[in-house]
Amino acid sequence: MDMPFNALKPACASVLDVIYPPKCVSCRTPGDWWCAACRASVERMGRHPCPHCLSTDLCHSSAGCTGTLPFLGVVSTGYYHSRPLRRLVAEIKFQGVTAAASSLEAYLASFTCPFPWSCEPRLQIQPMPLSASRERDRGFNQAAWIADRMRAAWKIRGSVADVLVRRPRSVTQAELDHEGGLRAANVRGAFAATRRLTGAILLVDDVVTTGSTAAEAARALLAAGAQRVYLATLAVGK
Protein backbone atom coordinates (compact mmCIF):
# COMPACT_ATOMS: atom_id res chain seq x y z
CA MET A 1 0.00 0.00 0.00
CA ASP A 2 1.33 3.40 -0.91
CA MET A 3 1.99 5.70 2.03
CA PRO A 4 0.41 9.18 1.72
CA PHE A 5 2.95 11.91 1.13
CA ASN A 6 1.85 13.79 4.26
CA ALA A 7 2.69 10.72 6.35
CA LEU A 8 6.23 10.79 4.98
CA LYS A 9 6.86 14.43 5.91
CA PRO A 10 7.97 13.80 9.53
CA ALA A 11 10.40 11.10 8.40
CA CYS A 12 11.80 13.33 5.65
CA ALA A 13 12.18 16.18 8.11
CA SER A 14 14.07 13.93 10.54
CA VAL A 15 16.49 12.83 7.82
CA LEU A 16 17.10 16.43 6.76
CA ASP A 17 17.69 17.46 10.38
CA VAL A 18 20.45 14.85 10.57
CA ILE A 19 22.07 16.08 7.35
CA TYR A 20 21.53 19.76 8.14
CA PRO A 21 21.32 20.10 11.95
CA PRO A 22 18.93 22.89 12.94
CA LYS A 23 20.33 26.14 14.29
CA CYS A 24 18.19 29.01 15.50
CA VAL A 25 17.90 31.65 12.79
CA SER A 26 18.24 34.37 15.40
CA CYS A 27 20.83 33.27 18.00
CA ARG A 28 22.41 30.33 16.10
CA THR A 29 21.92 27.97 19.06
CA PRO A 30 21.75 24.35 17.83
CA GLY A 31 18.58 22.30 18.22
CA ASP A 32 15.74 24.28 16.66
CA TRP A 33 15.25 26.50 13.62
CA TRP A 34 13.78 29.22 15.88
CA CYS A 35 14.44 28.41 19.51
CA ALA A 36 11.99 28.78 22.39
CA ALA A 37 14.14 31.43 24.06
CA CYS A 38 14.07 33.66 20.97
CA ARG A 39 10.34 33.11 20.50
CA ALA A 40 9.76 34.17 24.11
CA SER A 41 11.94 37.27 23.78
CA VAL A 42 10.04 38.83 20.84
CA GLU A 43 8.78 42.27 21.83
CA ARG A 44 5.04 41.97 21.63
CA MET A 45 2.53 44.79 21.59
CA GLY A 46 0.00 45.36 24.32
CA ARG A 47 -2.94 45.67 21.94
CA HIS A 48 -3.96 45.00 18.35
CA PRO A 49 -2.83 47.75 15.97
CA CYS A 50 -5.48 50.35 15.15
CA PRO A 51 -7.23 49.26 11.93
CA HIS A 52 -7.30 52.88 10.72
CA CYS A 53 -3.71 54.01 11.39
CA LEU A 54 -1.80 51.01 12.85
CA SER A 55 -1.11 52.82 16.14
CA THR A 56 -0.23 50.46 19.00
CA ASP A 57 -0.31 53.17 21.66
CA LEU A 58 -2.39 51.96 24.61
CA CYS A 59 -3.92 55.45 24.92
CA HIS A 60 -5.00 55.57 21.27
CA SER A 61 -8.73 55.36 20.56
CA SER A 62 -9.65 53.57 17.34
CA ALA A 63 -13.18 54.93 17.61
CA GLY A 64 -11.98 58.51 17.28
CA CYS A 65 -9.11 57.83 14.88
CA THR A 66 -8.98 59.85 11.66
CA GLY A 67 -6.73 57.35 9.85
CA THR A 68 -7.87 56.14 6.44
CA LEU A 69 -6.71 52.51 6.33
CA PRO A 70 -9.66 50.37 5.20
CA PHE A 71 -9.39 47.43 7.61
CA LEU A 72 -12.03 46.21 10.02
CA GLY A 73 -9.36 44.72 12.27
CA VAL A 74 -5.58 44.20 12.34
CA VAL A 75 -3.55 41.55 14.17
CA SER A 76 0.24 41.49 14.37
CA THR A 77 2.45 39.38 16.62
CA GLY A 78 5.27 41.78 17.48
CA TYR A 79 7.53 44.65 16.51
CA TYR A 80 9.86 44.29 13.54
CA HIS A 81 12.66 46.03 15.43
CA SER A 82 12.68 43.07 17.83
CA ARG A 83 15.75 41.13 16.65
CA PRO A 84 14.41 37.56 16.97
CA LEU A 85 11.35 38.37 14.86
CA ARG A 86 13.30 40.49 12.37
CA ARG A 87 15.83 37.70 11.86
CA LEU A 88 13.08 35.11 11.37
CA VAL A 89 11.32 37.23 8.76
CA ALA A 90 14.60 37.86 6.91
CA GLU A 91 15.54 34.16 6.85
CA ILE A 92 12.11 33.17 5.57
CA LYS A 93 11.86 35.97 3.05
CA PHE A 94 15.35 36.01 1.58
CA GLN A 95 16.81 32.60 2.44
CA GLY A 96 13.70 30.44 2.17
CA VAL A 97 14.13 28.86 5.63
CA THR A 98 10.74 27.12 5.61
CA ALA A 99 12.05 24.45 8.00
CA ALA A 100 11.05 26.86 10.79
CA ALA A 101 7.37 26.03 10.18
CA SER A 102 6.75 24.10 13.41
CA SER A 103 8.64 26.69 15.48
CA LEU A 104 6.62 29.53 13.97
CA GLU A 105 3.37 27.67 14.57
CA ALA A 106 4.34 27.14 18.21
CA TYR A 107 5.00 30.89 18.52
CA LEU A 108 1.70 31.79 16.87
CA ALA A 109 -0.23 29.31 19.03
CA SER A 110 0.88 31.25 22.13
CA PHE A 111 -1.40 34.12 21.08
CA THR A 112 -4.71 33.56 22.83
CA CYS A 113 -6.20 37.06 22.49
CA PRO A 114 -9.55 37.36 20.68
CA PHE A 115 -9.18 37.79 16.94
CA PRO A 116 -11.31 40.48 15.25
CA TRP A 117 -12.55 38.01 12.64
CA SER A 118 -13.68 35.38 15.18
CA CYS A 119 -17.39 36.01 14.58
CA GLU A 120 -17.18 35.75 10.80
CA PRO A 121 -19.30 32.82 9.57
CA ARG A 122 -17.14 32.54 6.47
CA LEU A 123 -13.63 33.85 5.94
CA GLN A 124 -11.42 33.74 2.86
CA ILE A 125 -7.66 34.09 3.28
CA GLN A 126 -5.69 36.16 0.76
CA PRO A 127 -1.88 36.14 1.01
CA MET A 128 -0.28 39.35 -0.20
CA PRO A 129 0.81 38.58 -3.77
CA LEU A 130 4.35 39.07 -5.02
CA SER A 131 5.24 40.25 -8.48
CA ALA A 132 5.82 37.35 -10.86
CA SER A 133 9.54 38.12 -11.12
CA ARG A 134 10.07 38.33 -7.36
CA GLU A 135 8.19 35.09 -6.70
CA ARG A 136 10.23 33.43 -9.42
CA ASP A 137 13.47 34.65 -7.85
CA ARG A 138 12.52 33.51 -4.33
CA GLY A 139 10.85 30.29 -5.42
CA PHE A 140 7.80 30.87 -3.24
CA ASN A 141 5.56 33.54 -1.75
CA GLN A 142 6.45 33.99 1.92
CA ALA A 143 3.03 35.53 2.66
CA ALA A 144 1.29 32.36 1.44
CA TRP A 145 3.62 30.24 3.60
CA ILE A 146 2.93 32.46 6.64
CA ALA A 147 -0.82 32.25 5.96
CA ASP A 148 -0.59 28.45 6.15
CA ARG A 149 1.16 28.69 9.52
CA MET A 150 -1.51 31.10 10.82
CA ARG A 151 -4.33 28.85 9.62
CA ALA A 152 -2.84 25.90 11.48
CA ALA A 153 -1.87 27.71 14.69
CA TRP A 154 -4.95 29.89 15.00
CA LYS A 155 -7.36 27.24 13.67
CA ILE A 156 -8.76 29.61 11.07
CA ARG A 157 -11.62 28.06 9.18
CA GLY A 158 -11.42 29.52 5.73
CA SER A 159 -10.46 28.84 2.17
CA VAL A 160 -7.63 30.51 0.27
CA ALA A 161 -9.03 33.22 -2.00
CA ASP A 162 -5.96 33.68 -4.24
CA VAL A 163 -7.67 36.35 -6.35
CA LEU A 164 -5.19 39.24 -6.15
CA VAL A 165 -2.55 39.90 -8.77
CA ARG A 166 0.17 42.48 -8.47
CA ARG A 167 0.97 44.84 -11.29
CA PRO A 168 4.69 45.54 -11.83
CA ARG A 169 6.23 48.82 -10.65
CA SER A 170 9.66 50.32 -11.15
CA VAL A 171 10.34 51.30 -7.51
CA THR A 172 9.92 49.00 -4.50
CA GLN A 173 8.37 50.22 -1.25
CA ALA A 174 11.59 49.45 0.66
CA GLU A 175 13.39 52.11 -1.38
CA LEU A 176 11.04 54.86 -0.21
CA ASP A 177 10.99 56.86 3.02
CA HIS A 178 8.34 55.81 5.55
CA GLU A 179 7.16 59.39 5.92
CA GLY A 180 5.00 61.37 3.54
CA GLY A 181 2.79 60.09 0.73
CA LEU A 182 5.45 58.52 -1.50
CA ARG A 183 4.65 54.97 -0.46
CA ALA A 184 0.92 55.45 -0.94
CA ALA A 185 1.45 57.00 -4.37
CA ASN A 186 3.86 54.25 -5.39
CA VAL A 187 1.32 51.47 -4.85
CA ARG A 188 -1.78 53.24 -6.13
CA GLY A 189 -3.51 50.86 -8.52
CA ALA A 190 -0.87 48.18 -7.88
CA PHE A 191 -3.39 45.35 -7.34
CA ALA A 192 -6.33 43.88 -9.20
CA ALA A 193 -8.75 41.08 -8.35
CA THR A 194 -9.28 38.31 -10.88
CA ARG A 195 -12.89 37.55 -9.89
CA ARG A 196 -15.80 38.82 -7.85
CA LEU A 197 -15.83 38.30 -4.08
CA THR A 198 -18.32 38.18 -1.24
CA GLY A 199 -18.04 38.16 2.53
CA ALA A 200 -14.94 38.74 4.64
CA ILE A 201 -11.30 38.50 3.60
CA LEU A 202 -8.23 38.03 5.80
CA LEU A 203 -5.22 39.60 4.08
CA VAL A 204 -1.89 38.12 5.27
CA ASP A 205 1.61 39.58 4.93
CA ASP A 206 4.97 39.29 6.70
CA VAL A 207 5.47 42.92 7.79
CA VAL A 208 3.32 46.04 7.68
CA THR A 209 4.99 49.45 8.02
CA THR A 210 2.87 52.40 6.91
CA GLY A 211 0.06 50.17 5.68
CA SER A 212 0.09 51.72 2.19
CA THR A 213 0.65 48.46 0.30
CA ALA A 214 -1.79 46.43 2.39
CA ALA A 215 -4.41 49.20 2.16
CA GLU A 216 -4.16 49.26 -1.63
CA ALA A 217 -4.57 45.48 -1.73
CA ALA A 218 -7.58 45.78 0.59
CA ARG A 219 -9.17 48.42 -1.63
CA ALA A 220 -8.83 46.10 -4.62
CA LEU A 221 -10.56 43.35 -2.63
CA LEU A 222 -13.35 45.71 -1.56
CA ALA A 223 -13.79 46.93 -5.14
CA ALA A 224 -14.20 43.28 -6.18
CA GLY A 225 -17.11 42.83 -3.77
CA ALA A 226 -15.59 41.89 -0.40
CA GLN A 227 -17.65 43.33 2.46
CA ARG A 228 -14.90 43.40 5.09
CA VAL A 229 -11.12 43.08 5.03
CA TYR A 230 -8.94 42.16 8.02
CA LEU A 231 -5.14 42.18 8.10
CA ALA A 232 -2.77 39.75 9.85
CA THR A 233 1.03 40.11 9.81
CA LEU A 234 3.96 38.71 11.70
CA ALA A 235 5.36 42.14 12.48
CA VAL A 236 4.66 45.86 12.59
CA GLY A 237 7.59 47.88 11.28
CA LYS A 238 7.22 50.99 13.39
Side-chain angles (χ1 to χ4, degrees):
M1 182 181 295
D2 292 335
M3 185 177 292
F5 177 72
N6 285 343
L8 292 173
K9 283 185 177 180
C12 292
S14 297
V15 171
L16 288 173
D17 283 350
V18 171
I19 300 172
Y20 304 104
K23 285 187 178 181
C24 176
V25 297
S26 179
C27 69
R28 309 307 296 168
T29 299
D32 200 345
W33 290 107
W34 196 34
C35 73
C38 285
R39 298 197 299 265
S41 65
V42 171
E43 184 183 349
R44 303 190 184 191
M45 49 200 67
R47 53 167 287 173
H48 291 321
C50 173
H52 310 303
C53 73
L54 300 181
S55 172
T56 56
D57 190 330
L58 295 177
C59 298
H60 177 78
S61 171
S62 296
C65 180
T66 58
T68 59
L69 298 179
F71 305 109
L72 193 61
V74 177
V75 170
S76 196
T77 74
Y79 289 104
Y80 189 59
H81 63 240
S82 182
R83 187 180 188 279
L85 190 55
R86 186 176 72 251
R87 289 299 307 152
L88 175 73
V89 171
E91 290 294 314
I92 294 169
K93 192 171 184 174
F94 302 116
Q95 304 299 326
V97 182
T98 56
S102 60
S103 301
L104 177 56
E105 287 177 20
Y107 166 77
L108 292 170
S110 68
F111 288 79
T112 57
C113 54
F115 297 109
W117 56 79
S118 297
C119 294
E120 292 289 350
R122 182 169 173 266
L123 188 67
Q124 294 184 78
I125 303 166
Q126 173 62 61
M128 183 71 74
L130 289 174
S131 66
S133 61
R134 183 160 291 182
E135 185 163 354
R136 187 168 56 249
D137 290 342
R138 293 181 183 172
F140 79 124
N141 180 352
Q142 77 276 0
W145 183 84
I146 291 167
D148 286 341
R149 310 285 76 76
M150 289 179 173
R151 289 179 73 189
W154 292 342
K155 297 178 173 55
I156 301 173
R157 292 185 177 181
S159 58
V160 177
D162 197 21
V163 300
L164 275 186
V165 292
R166 191 168 196 152
R167 298 184 175 118
R169 62 172 184 261
S170 58
V171 180
T172 65
Q173 291 293 80
E175 295 177 70
L176 299 175
D177 196 338
H178 293 177
E179 302 300 326
L182 291 178
R183 285 193 165 210
N186 189 49
V187 294
R188 197 163 294 134
F191 299 94
T194 58
R195 63 175 172 82
R196 295 295 296 171
L197 295 165
T198 58
I201 306 289
L202 175 60
L203 184 65
V204 175
D205 204 359
D206 51 3
V207 182
V208 62
T209 305
T210 65
S212 297
T213 302
E216 196 64 23
R219 291 185 185 104
L221 294 169
L222 292 166
Q227 277 82 51
R228 296 167 297 281
V229 178
Y230 302 90
L231 175 66
T233 71
L234 284 184
V236 168
K238 291 290 187 182

